[in-house]
Amino acid sequence: DQQVKQNSPSLSVQEGRISILNCDYTNSMFDYFLWYKKYPAEGPTFLISISSIKDKNEDGRFTVFLNKSAKHLSLHIVPSQPGDSAVYFCAANRGSNYKLTFGKGTLLTVNP
Amino acid sequence: DTAVSQTPKYLVTQMGNDKSIKCEQNLGHDTMYWYKQDSKKFLKIMFSYNNKELIINETVPNRFSPKSPDKAHLNLHINSLELGDSAVYFCASSQARVTVQFFGPGTRLTVL
């Protein structure tokens, strides 16, 4: 029972263009969402998060959008850089109950 | 100045053996976690400790036993290792009820 889904296993974009990574969830009780970035042989690194009371959160080149009615969130990276090439995980939490539920990840490749 | 560290990074062992993975965090957090990333790449929580007290225990075989000697350490002991235990195990920490979790680099366990 995948409560958090990242349906695109991979995405390839050109340097300087926008990368859009998508995430869908099924549990309407989720109220906090996070994006993590993971390089090979390293642990996931926190990137950006959003509370369900907001529909957008921005941090530099990274923006997360939340559409609660569609149970969908997306991560926009503008402009994309080769160093952004990594696996991006979407995660969700319900009521600060300590437990994060992760998606399967999307491998982003940014080509120079 | 590593925030969350794990040892060992790689662990290769025979079926039936007992092994331990150690985790330490120097972030001053009071909550620590163990996650398992299996061959399908899902990151799933196994255990969580808050102030040395077990607060999350997902459906994990009782061959897995976490131990938290203090708030900065959470070790994972695995008895009678099986082939299906092969995975990458990640330790993480957070401040209580703050959702952002910080991950260690992972321990790749291979059971032969």
Side-chain angles (χ1 to χ4, degrees):
Chain A
D1 175 30
Q2 291 181 55
Q3 296 187 65
V4 177
K5 298 178 186 180
Q6 294 177 255
N7 292 319
S8 298
S10 63
L11 174 68
S12 183
V13 299
Q14 286 298 118
E15 182 177 4
R17 298 285 183 99
I18 184 172
S19 296
I20 300 176
L21 297 110
N22 293 304
C23 178
D24 297 294
Y25 61 96
T26 58
N27 189 338
S28 57
M29 300 297 290
F30 287 143
D31 58 6
Y32 197 80
F33 304 89
L34 307 89
W35 285 94
Y36 281 83
K37 173 179 176 180
K38 185 183 179 304
Y39 292 118
E42 294 184 13
T45 302
F46 171 70
L47 200 54
I48 192 169
S49 62
I50 188 166
S51 163
S52 60
I53 62 172
K54 295 185 173 182
D55 54 18
K56 178 181 173 182
N57 189 25
E58 199 169 349
D59 183 3
R61 297 186 297 114
F62 303 91
T63 303
V64 56
F65 295 92
L66 175 62
N67 182 333
K68 281 191 298 183
S69 60
K71 295 193 181 69
H72 176 84
L73 61 155
S74 60
L75 174 68
H76 292 212
I77 307 173
V78 183
S80 301
Q81 299 173 354
D84 296 329
S85 298
V87 176
Y88 289 78
F89 289 97
C90 172
N93 178 261
R94 175 171 66 90
S96 296
N97 71 352
Y98 298 100
K99 178 180 171 181
L100 289 181
T101 302
F102 282 85
K104 202 170 175 178
T106 296
L107 173 64
L108 172 67
T109 303
V110 180
N111 301 302
Chain B
D1 60 345
T2 304
V4 182
S5 60
Q6 295 178 230
T7 54
K9 190 159 176 63
Y10 299 97
L11 186 52
V12 181
T13 187
Q14 299 288 332
M15 264 196 324
N17 284 349
D18 303 338
K19 290 293 178 185
S20 292
I21 306 172
K22 296 187 176 183
C23 177
E24 177 180 1
Q25 55 94 5
N26 63 6
L27 296 167
H29 291 160
D30 57 8
T31 306
M32 296 185 72
Y33 312 80
W34 278 110
Y35 284 83
K36 178 181 180 180
Q37 185 179 32
D38 58 23
S39 57
K40 295 183 180 177
K41 304 301 182 186
F42 280 106
L43 261 167
K44 291 186 180 176
I45 190 162
M46 301 172 68
F47 303 102
S48 175
Y49 271 75
N50 173 252
N51 282 318
K52 302 197 299 174
E53 180 184 344
L54 183 65
I55 53 172
I56 295 176
N57 185 351
E58 292 292 286
T59 311
V60 178
N62 57 14
R63 298 182 294 104
F64 290 78
S65 53
K67 284 190 173 46
S68 181
D70 55 57
K71 287 195 301 183
H73 296 84
L74 180 62
N75 304 322
L76 182 65
H77 188 76
I78 316 170
N79 289 327
S80 303
L81 278 155
E82 300 177 357
L83 292 176
D85 298 332
S86 295
V88 182
Y89 293 85
F90 289 98
C91 177
S93 73
S94 72
Q95 196 53 30
R97 302 217 174 263
V98 172
T99 308
V100 178
Q101 297 177 12
F102 294 83
F103 284 79
T107 296
R108 181 174 290 277
L109 171 65
T110 303
V111 182
L112 303 175

